Amino acid sequence: MRFAVKDIREEKGMTLEELSLISGVPISEISEMEENLTDVCNTGSLSKLSKALGVPVDSFFYN
């Protein structure tokens, strides 16, 4: 599965470190999603990232 987390984060002008700090999601977990190293993600983490980036959860998934 490919996630759009990196594209959205960069559009918002945030660093990986800033997103981790604001969302409370570990850098390693965000990095795995951004580099498409995982097919599974924690729904709680997606919710936190969604809130931190100000986007709906479904925007993290490429169609």
Side-chain angles (χ1 to χ4, degrees), residues 20-41:
S20 176
L21 183 65
I22 292 168
S23 68
V25 177
I27 290 174
S28 59
E29 188 174 344
I30 299 170
S31 181
E32 285 179 0
M33 284 190 271
E34 288 189 350
E35 300 303 322
N36 300 303
L37 299 176
T38 184
D39 288 332
V40 179
C41 56

Side-chain angles (χ1 to χ4, degrees), residues 3 8-9 14 16 18 21 23 31 33-35 39-42 46-48 50-52 55-58 60:
F3 299 101
I8 296 168
R9 176 180 60 77
M14 296 177 106
L16 187 59
E18 289 171 327
L21 183 65
S23 68
S31 181
M33 284 190 271
E34 288 189 350
E35 300 303 322
D39 288 332
V40 179
C41 56
N42 181 304
L46 287 177
S47 179
K48 290 177 184 178
S50 170
K51 186 173 182 178
V55 297
V57 170
D58 64 355
F60 293 132

